[in-house]
Every structure is written in structure tokens, then in C-alpha cells.
């Protein structure tokens, strides 16, 4: 209806514009005038169709990008739910593994102290009768069988927690990739929407009949095209910046060597840092740090991991893994690291130690935060190397001396010892 109305207005304007000529120039052929007007209308209609086709094409691209954004957002929400559930299951399995480790270690220690084989023989010799001896042997067999079942369940739980950790890490990495794609789509959407606006203004310009209005629309069209070009340039710049950032982050991880500052003494409330020395994260040991006062240890051999870094580039987990290669490859979000570490046989405590991984479970917007301790002056004054702090995606010491237990970071901090 709008197109018909516009065509009627255009036709009326053209006809009215020629009324004076028809009335003053009697010698002109009326049929020729009509033919000329019809030709102008035909040309305008063709241009209108071309412009509308361009609008439709750009609109289709915009709709496609919006659909992809909706799909990725829904996928991220689903993956986040799965990651949360997996983290809870990993924590439960970790508690079971640690509990069994403690029980098995206690039994092994008791056997070494009391001499299990001798105790079994004495138990049989002390029997009052053959039936009593048989009953005692049966009871001892049941104890041995229960221990074997406990060992089998321990291995099964360790295998299960490893699979869940891998699945959780895959979900976390996919979320990070989707977020990156959403950012790219946002830039592309801005470009396409600018192009769509330019196409719409182009269509309006083709439909304009008055020269002044057409000139104005052409100026708006030029401005819209310039905005589209600027949006495209901004998109290209954003992609180049992203590629540059990935290059910088890769170099940051490759050169990651935390600067370990020896602990200092305090005089009249003032502190000065001592000499610094470079320490390789895989061999770093505590320097001038107090003994742990409230530590929870996990018995059994520690699980060893590959130095390959499986965490999202630039995140705090990625930075901690680069600085401490002994860290697990699939320990999940930062808040899940203590449970995963304990299940892998690493000790977790509340006293800072150089080379340990500091874990703030209540920081990081619900995901937690991790860093590697590089200097210790006291439990309330340390230095760390980290990534993804205050917008810094590369690895570095961004805080100097600070209190790790301050409410700013959630008030709670744990340390995973290598």
C-alpha cells in the first residue's frame, strides 16, 4: 500500500510538473509527453526494486547474525549449568578420595607399627578351639576383602574424577570460545546494521521526487555509508587487536618466570623488599616462610601432569598453569582447584608459601581467582604473579605487597603446595 501510494505521489508530482509546459507549449505532442512520463516511472520502479533487493539481502545477513548470537548464548547457558554440576560432582568425589586415602594410610601405618603378619599368627595361636580359630581366620579374610574393595573403589573414583575434570574443562573452554565468537558477531552486526541503514536511505533517496529532499537523503546516505565504512574499519581493527593480544599472551606464557622476592622483616610498621632472584616454577621451594598452622593434607602419591596448558588463554587459571606447570590440566574454574588438587594428592592449607598457588574461591565474580605466590612477609602481606587481574590478560606482578585475606578478595584464601 505504501509503495502504491508513493508511486501515485511521484506520478502526480511528475504530471503536475509538466502541466505548465503542456498548457503553454501547444505544439508539443501529448502522446510523447505521456510516453516520457511512463518511461520515468518505469525507470524509478526498476531502481526501487534494486534498492529493495539490497535492503532485503542486508536484512537477511543481520537476521542470520542475530540468530547465531541467540544460539551461542543458549549454548553458553547450558554449558555453564553442566560445568556447575560437574564441579559439584568433582568436589564430592574429591572428598571421598581424600577420606579413603586417610583410612588406607592409617591402616598401612598400623600394619608397619604393629606387624600385621605376626598379629594374624598370634590371633590364630590364641584361639581357644579349632572352631574359634576358623572364625578368627574368616573375620580376618573379610577385613582383607573389605580393604581390597576400598582400593578398587578408590581407583574407580580417581578415574571418574579425571573424566569429569576433562569434561568440565572442555565446557569451560567452549564457553570462552563462544564468548569470543559473540564479540566477533557483535562487531559484524554493527557493520551489517550500518550497511542496512545505508541501503534503506538509498531506497528512500531513489523514491524522493523533490530535488532538495533527494539531496538531503543523498547526504544522509553518504554519511551512512561512511559510518558503515568506519564500522568495518573498527571491526578489522578489533580483529587485528585480538590477534595481537593472542600473540602477546602466547609470548607471556612462553616467558612466564615468576620473580620471587625474599621475605622481609618489619621495623616500626615499615617494610622494605630484599634482593630478588628468579626461580623456575617447577622447582620453587618456600623461602623464609612460617610453618603451616592450619593445613589439610592429602595422603598418597601426587598425580603428575603434562606442562601443556589447557586453560582459556589470558584467564587466571591459564596464567597459574603457565607459572606452575605441576598444576593439573583439568582442574576447572579457579574456585574448584582446591578440591581437584586434594584429590590429586596435593596439600592445601591457609599459610602462604613461595611457589604455592593462592586460591580465592569467593573472588572473580563467582568463578574464583588463582595466582602463584612469589614473596611472603607474613600471612597478611604477600606478593603474587597472575593473569586476568584488573583487566591485565598477560602474566605479571600487578599488586605488589597486599593482604590476601582482605574482604576485597572475598576474605578467604587457600594455598595449594607443590
Amino acid at each position: 500500500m505504501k509503495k502504491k501510494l508513493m508511486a501515485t505521489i511521484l506520478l502526480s508530482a511528475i504530471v503536475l510538473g509538466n502541466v505548465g509546459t503542456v498548457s503553454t507549449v501547444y505544439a508539443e505532442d501529448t502522446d510523447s509527453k505521456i510516453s516520457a512520463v511512463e518511461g520515468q516511472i518505469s525507470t524509478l520502479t526498476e531502481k526501487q526494486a534494486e534498492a529493495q533487493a539490497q535492503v532485503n539481502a542486508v536484512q537477511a545477513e543481520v537476521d542470520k547474525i542475530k540468530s547465531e548470537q541467540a544460539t551461542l548464548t543458549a549454548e553458553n547457558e547450558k554449558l555453564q549449568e553442566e560445568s556447575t554440576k560437574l564441579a559439584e560432582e568433582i568436589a564430592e568425589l574429591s572428598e571421598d578420595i581424600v577420606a579413603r586415602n586417610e583410612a588406607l594410610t592409617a591402616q598401612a601405618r598400623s600394619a608397619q607399627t604393629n606387624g600385621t603378619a605376626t598379629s594374624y599368627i598370634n590371633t590364630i595361636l590364641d584361639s581357644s578351639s579349632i572352631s574359634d580359630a576358623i572364625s578368627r581366620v574368616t573375620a580376618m579374610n573379610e577385613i582383607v576383602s573389605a580393604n581390597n574393595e576400598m582400593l578398587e573403589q578408590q581407583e574407580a573414583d580417581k578415574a571418574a574424577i579425571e573424566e569429569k575434570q576433562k569434561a568440565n574443562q572442555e565446557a569451560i573452554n567452549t564457553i570462552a570460545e563462544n564468548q569470543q565468537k559473540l564479540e566477533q558477531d557483535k562487531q559484524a552486526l554493527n557493520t551489517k546494521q550500518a550497511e542496512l541503514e545505508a541501503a534503506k536511505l538509498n531506497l528512500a533517496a531513489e523514491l524522493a521526487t523533490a530535488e532538495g529532499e533527494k539531496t538531503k537523503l543523498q547526504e544522509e546516505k553518504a554519511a551512512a555509508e561512511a559510518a558503515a565504512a568506519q564500522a568495518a574499519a573498527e571491526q578489522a581493527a578489533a580483529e587485528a587487536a585480538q590477534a595481537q593480544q593472542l600473540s602477546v599472551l602466547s609470548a607471556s606464557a612462553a616467558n612466564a618466570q615468576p620473580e620471587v622476592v625474599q621475605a622481609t622483616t618489619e621495623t616500626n610498621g615499615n617494610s622494605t623488599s630484599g634482593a630478588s632472584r628468579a626461580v623456575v616454577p617447577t622447582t620453587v621451594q618456600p623461602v623464609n616462610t612460617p610453618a603451616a598452622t592450619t593445613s589439610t593434607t592429602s595422603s598418597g602419591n601426587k598425580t603428575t601432569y603434562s606442562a601443556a596448558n589447557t586453560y582459556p588463554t589470558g584467564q587466571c587459571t591459564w596464567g597459574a598453569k603457565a607459572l606452575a606447570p605441576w598444576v593439573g590440566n583439568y582442574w576447572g574454574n579457579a574456585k574448584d582447584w582446591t578440591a581437584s588438587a586434594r584429590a590429586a594428592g596435593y596439600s592445601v592449607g591457609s599459610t602462604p608459601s613461595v611457589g604455592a598457588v593462592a586460591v580465592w574461591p569467593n573472588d572473580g565474580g563467582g568463578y574464583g581467582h588463582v595466582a602463584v605466590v612469589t614473596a611472603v612477609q607474613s600471612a597478611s602481606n604477600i606478593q603474587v604473579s597472575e593473569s586476568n587481574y584488573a583487566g591485565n590478560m598477560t602474566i605479571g606482578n600487578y599488586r605488589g605487597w597486599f593482604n590476601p585475606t582482605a574482604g576485597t578478595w572475598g576474605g578467604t584464601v587457600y594455598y595449594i603446595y607443590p
Side-chain angles (χ1 to χ4, degrees):
M1 178 64 71
K2 289 183 178 179
K3 292 181 179 179
K4 292 181 179 179
L5 179 59
M6 184 62 74
T8 302
I9 294 173
L10 291 174
L11 179 58
S12 299
I14 294 171
V15 172
L16 290 173
N18 287 282
V19 168
T21 303
V22 173
S23 60
T24 57
V25 184
Y26 299 97
E28 293 185 358
D29 185 6
T30 303
D31 291 337
S32 177
K33 284 291 185 180
I34 294 175
S35 177
V37 171
E38 289 176 347
Q40 294 176 8
I41 294 174
S42 176
T43 300
L44 181 59
T45 302
E46 291 176 357
K47 290 184 178 181
Q48 178 183 356
E50 292 175 359
Q52 186 62 53
Q54 183 183 5
V55 169
N56 293 341
V58 176
Q59 183 66 58
E61 294 182 15
V62 170
D63 293 342
K64 180 180 178 181
I65 292 174
K66 288 183 176 180
S67 176
E68 183 179 40
Q69 286 182 317
T71 300
L72 290 175
T73 300
E75 182 182 7
N76 273 9
E77 292 176 354
K78 180 180 178 181
L79 287 172
Q80 187 61 56
E81 292 179 358
E82 293 176 358
S83 177
T84 300
K85 181 179 179 182
L86 285 170
E88 293 174 354
E89 294 174 355
I90 289 170
E92 292 178 0
L93 285 172
S94 174
E95 292 178 0
D96 293 342
I97 290 172
V98 171
R100 288 196 201 95
N101 273 341
E102 294 173 351
L104 291 171
T105 300
Q107 289 182 6
R109 188 180 299 110
S110 175
Q112 292 176 354
T113 303
N114 301 327
T116 303
T118 303
S119 298
Y120 287 171
I121 294 173
N122 291 337
T123 300
I124 296 173
L125 293 177
D126 292 342
S127 302
S128 60
S129 63
I130 294 177
S131 61
D132 184 28
I134 293 173
S135 297
R136 295 188 179 192
V137 170
T138 301
M140 287 187 289
N141 286 337
E142 291 178 354
I143 293 173
V144 172
S145 176
N147 285 342
N148 290 336
E149 291 178 359
M150 185 183 297
L151 287 172
E152 292 175 358
Q153 186 61 48
Q154 186 76 329
E155 294 302 319
D157 282 356
K158 286 185 176 181
I161 199 172
E162 183 176 354
E163 290 300 319
K164 291 181 183 294
Q165 286 173 334
K166 289 182 179 180
N168 188 24
Q169 195 60 54
E170 289 176 358
I172 292 171
N173 291 353
T174 301
I175 290 173
E177 292 172 359
N178 286 348
Q179 288 174 338
Q180 181 179 355
K181 185 64 171 65
L182 283 170
E183 184 61 27
Q184 293 173 347
D185 283 352
K186 180 181 178 181
Q187 294 290 338
L189 182 60
N190 289 339
T191 301
K192 292 301 179 184
Q193 286 179 328
E195 291 176 354
L196 177 60
E197 184 64 21
K200 288 180 177 179
L201 289 172
N202 182 57
L203 174 59
E206 293 296 338
L207 294 175
T209 56
E211 191 62 30
E213 180 66 15
K214 184 173 182 179
T215 300
K216 178 182 177 181
L217 290 174
Q218 285 176 333
E219 291 174 351
E220 292 178 357
K221 172 189 172 183
E225 290 175 342
Q230 181 179 357
E234 290 175 353
Q235 179 184 358
E239 292 174 351
Q242 187 177 62
Q244 178 65 23
Q245 183 184 42
L246 289 176
S247 176
V248 171
L249 291 177
S250 298
S252 173
N255 299 324
Q257 291 287 333
E259 182 183 17
V260 178
V261 182
Q262 295 184 3
T264 63
T265 58
E266 296 183 354
T267 303
N268 297 327
N270 298 321
S271 63
T272 58
S273 59
S276 62
R277 57 187 178 87
V279 176
V280 180
T282 53
T283 60
V284 67
Q285 296 296 330
V287 178
N288 296 335
T289 58
T293 56
T294 56
S295 64
T296 303
T297 61
S298 296
S299 303
N301 296 329
K302 296 177 182 177
T303 302
T304 57
Y305 298 95
S306 166
N309 200 329
T310 61
Y311 296 97
T313 303
Q315 297 300 311
C316 64
T317 49
W318 167 84
K321 173 64 177 176
L323 292 166
W326 52 268
V327 164
N329 300 309
Y330 305 100
W331 281 5
N333 286 315
K335 65 183 178 62
D336 306 320
W337 274 32
T338 53
S340 294
R342 293 180 70 225
Y346 290 85
S347 297
V348 177
S350 59
T351 299
S353 173
V354 173
V357 174
V359 181
W360 290 272
N362 300 323
D363 197 12
Y367 296 99
H369 185 73
V370 290
V372 174
V373 179
T374 58
V376 176
Q377 195 173 62
S378 66
S380 60
N381 202 24
I382 68 171
Q383 291 192 30
V384 298
S385 282
E386 59 194 332
S387 178
N388 196 18
Y389 174 78
N392 296 291
M393 304 300 286
T394 55
I395 298 170
N397 181 346
Y398 301 109
R399 300 194 238 186
W401 293 103
F402 71 102
N403 182 0
T405 62
T408 305
W409 327 117
T412 301
V413 60
Y414 299 103
Y415 299 92
I416 304 172
Y417 307 107

